[in-house]
């Protein structure tokens, strides 16, 4: 990516940076091979080549997977939930957050990145159930907000049901699980509906594994276009990514209550934005593989500050309020931050169109023991779309192996992995092509359209705690998958 108009060139910095800054931390296993790696279009996959695999419930070849892997589907857009009402569409962030007390089933919470639609209710906490008049939100008709979350239940390879979990929110994109068994759902929008009888949007909400959500925004986590959330289990510090083209920051929220229990984050805290030592306004969107920085954090005094522009309809544009405060203190600037995951003492996160080719960067941040600073490393930078096209949601399995979803329009979109020697490989490919006859045979007429969905994004990647089931969504037409197979092949 070219340098931002309001940041210094990353390459200019590299010419003047001290050797001590660039060699401060030990080389990661995958990092050592990155500079010399060569892309193998056949895939350096430890699992082998991909081929179409049939979904047993529909008889359709919806995915391409390595030999020995299989899957089941559940919670398609429009399917009736256990508590009644249709499953919302636009499936996005998701994770296993706990086990159901009654039967030990895994509980997953899934986001729905919707703007308009029926409010997800009937047992869900609802934040903003207002009926917005025609003209608001660029819609001629009066609408309610359709974003929110649903819960899914899975045990011993069988899907057991689904129910609403949060409603009245707007474009719930990603988020993340907490170590204490809840889900943090993030709105990827800033919208001020207060002048129209509604609420201010652009927040993070906590959703419990069981029971009704409080539907209270965690205001101190900031008002911006949220993407993902990741929690350090040692301190309850929360890391947050911002997805706002060329004006995106990486944030951390330090809670007042570090007890690590449901509701503790709602007591508030202090928000910070990442900055690079000795380089104010560092252009981190221009990353190259192997780049290393010493980082520190600058405090955001008013996390609820409005963005640059708010029009009469409540729509917003420009830089977010938290970003402008961080920028004024020299914070680092990313392109568009997306997925995030914290594991084994490190934060992994994606800049979806970072790098010279604007095809994406995977970063690793290792906080110091006192969390006042840390080491930031660009562990992977895509060189062209066939290698990786716009990394988005990402996760590590219990063995510490990294998987990430694509969201760049590649045909087909893929779930990728990164081997210990720095090779990227395709683990799964979207193979969803639905004809009118297919849809009729499934009984989903009028809910899902006939279409070639292979360029639809993957989202919500995450493993069961035992590492044996990989859960993931395809956003369009809206399907959740549970994938199992010989994971031990990746030693």
């Amino acid at each position: 990516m070219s340098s931002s108009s309001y940041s210094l060139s990353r390459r200019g910095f590299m010419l003047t940076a001290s050797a001590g800054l660039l060699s401060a931390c030990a080389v990661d296993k995958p990092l050592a091979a990155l500079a010399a790696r060569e892309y193998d279009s056949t895939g350096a996959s430890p699992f082998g080549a991909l081929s179409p695999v049939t979904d047993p419930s529909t008889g359709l070849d919806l995915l391409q997977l390595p030999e020995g892997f299989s899957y089941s589907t559940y919670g398609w857009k429009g399917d009736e939930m256990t508590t009644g009402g249709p499953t919302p569409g636009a499936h996005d962030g998701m994770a296993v957050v706990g086990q159901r007390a009654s039967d030990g089933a895994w509980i997953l919470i899934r986001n729905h990145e919707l703007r308009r639609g029926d409010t997800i209710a009937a047992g869900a906490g609802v934040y903003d159930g207002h009926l917005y008049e025609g003209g608001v939100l660029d819609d001629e008709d009066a609408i309610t907000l359709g974003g929110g979350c649903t819960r899914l239940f899975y045990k011993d390879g069988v899907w057991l049901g689904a129910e609403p979990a949060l409603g009245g929110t707007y474009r719930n994109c990603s988020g993340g699980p907490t170590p204490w068994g809840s889900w943090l759902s993030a709105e990827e929008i800033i919208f001020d509906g207060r002048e129209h009888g509604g609420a201010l949007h652009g927040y993070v909400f906590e959703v419990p594994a069981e029971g009704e959500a409080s539907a209270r925004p965690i205001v101190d986590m900031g008002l911006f276009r949220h993407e993902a959330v990741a929690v350090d289990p040692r301190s309850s510090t929360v890391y947050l990514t911002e997805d706002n083209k060329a004006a995106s920051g990486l944030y951390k929220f330090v809670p007042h209550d570090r007890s690590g229990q449901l509701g503790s984050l709602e007591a508030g805290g202090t928000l910070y934005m990442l900055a690079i030592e000795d380089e104010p306004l560092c252009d981190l969107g221009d990353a190259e593989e192997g780049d290393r920085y010493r980082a520190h954090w600058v405090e955001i005094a008013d996390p609820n500050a409005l963005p640059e522009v708010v029009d009469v309809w409540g729509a917003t544009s420009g830089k977010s309020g938290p970003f402008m405060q961080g920028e004024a203190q020299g914070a680092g600037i990313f392109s568009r931050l997306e997925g995030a995951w914290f594991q084994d003492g490190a934060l992994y996160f994606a800049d979806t169109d970072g790098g010279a080719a604007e095809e994406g960067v995977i970063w690793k941040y290792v906080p110091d023991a006192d969390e006042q600073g840390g080491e930031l490393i660009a562990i992977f930078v895509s060189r062209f779309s066939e290698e990786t096209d716009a990394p988005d949601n990402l996760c590590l399995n219990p063995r510490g192996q990294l998987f990430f979803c694509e969201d760049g329009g590649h045909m087909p979109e893929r779930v990728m992995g990164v081997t210990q020697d720095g090779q990227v490989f395709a683990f799964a490919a979207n193979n969803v092509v639905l004809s009118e006859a297919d849809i009729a045979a499934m009984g989903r007429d009028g809910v899902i359209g006939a279409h070639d969905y292979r360029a639809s994004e993957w989202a919500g990647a995450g493993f069961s705690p035992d590492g044996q089931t990989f859960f993931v969504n395809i956003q369009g037409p809206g399907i959740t998958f549970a994938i199992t197979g010989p994971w031990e092949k990746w030693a």
Side-chain angles (χ1 to χ4, degrees), residues 74 80-84 87-88 100 107-110 112 120-124 149-153 161-166 208-212:
Y74 186 75
E80 185 175 356
M81 291 187 282
T82 310
T83 52
T87 297
R100 190 161 57 181
I107 303 171
L108 297 93
I109 299 182
R110 177 182 62 195
H112 296 274
I120 303 173
C149 305
T150 52
R151 291 189 191 90
L152 299 86
F153 305 98
E163 64 185 25
L166 176 70
E210 297 189 79
E212 186 171 310

Side-chain angles (χ1 to χ4, degrees), residues 23-56:
S23 60
C25 58
V27 175
D28 290 60
K29 287 183 180 179
L31 189 62
L34 286 174
R37 69 181 168 83
E38 295 181 0
Y39 178 67
D40 177 3
S41 62
T42 63
S45 173
F47 301 113
L50 307 184
S51 61
V53 178
T54 303
D55 170 27

Side-chain angles (χ1 to χ4, degrees), residues 167-207:
T169 50
Y170 192 170
R171 289 192 62 184
N172 300 63
C173 190
S174 189
T178 70
W180 49 89
S182 64
W183 171 254
L184 296 173
S185 184
E187 294 182 305
E188 192 190 9
I189 194 70
I190 308 174
F191 166 65
D192 191 350
R194 293 175 296 182
E195 292 297 318
H196 304 279
L200 184 59
H201 292 263
Y203 294 123
V204 175
F205 300 80
E206 186 171 23
V207 183

Side-chain angles (χ1 to χ4, degrees), residues 262-404:
L262 182 66
S264 59
L265 302 179
E266 294 178 356
T270 305
L271 188 69
Y272 300 86
M273 186 171 167
L274 181 134
I276 300 303
E277 291 186 6
D278 301 321
E279 188 180 0
L281 302 177
C282 182
D283 180 8
L284 296 163
D286 200 28
E288 296 179 358
E289 279 179 358
D291 285 356
R292 294 169 178 262
Y293 300 94
R294 280 295 305 171
H296 64 279
W297 299 88
V298 296
E299 184 174 342
I300 306 303
D302 184 3
N304 202 37
L306 291 170
E308 280 188 297
V309 179
V310 183
D311 69 18
V312 295
W313 298 107
T316 65
S317 59
K319 302 171 186 175
S320 70
F323 180 90
M324 289 188 287
Q325 293 171 69
E327 181 184 38
Q329 300 175 75
I333 300 169
F334 295 90
S335 183
R336 286 181 52 216
L337 293 186
E338 298 266 10
W341 193 268
F342 197 99
Q343 187 164 314
D344 299 328
L347 172 73
Y348 298 82
F349 63 99
D351 191 341
T352 194
D353 59 6
E358 300 185 357
E359 295 291 352
V361 179
I362 304 293
W363 290 93
K364 180 179 181 179
Y365 173 73
V366 183
D368 297 337
D370 63 4
E371 295 191 350
Q372 299 303 304
E375 200 77 21
L376 181 67
I377 312 163
I379 63 171
F380 170 74
V381 179
S382 179
R383 297 169 294 179
F384 43 89
S385 62
E386 183 60 30
E387 182 174 53
T388 287
D389 186 23
D392 193 324
N393 283 192
L394 55 80
C395 71
L396 276 70
N397 64 14
R399 299 163 71 180
Q401 296 160 333
L402 176 65
F403 291 80
F404 62 86

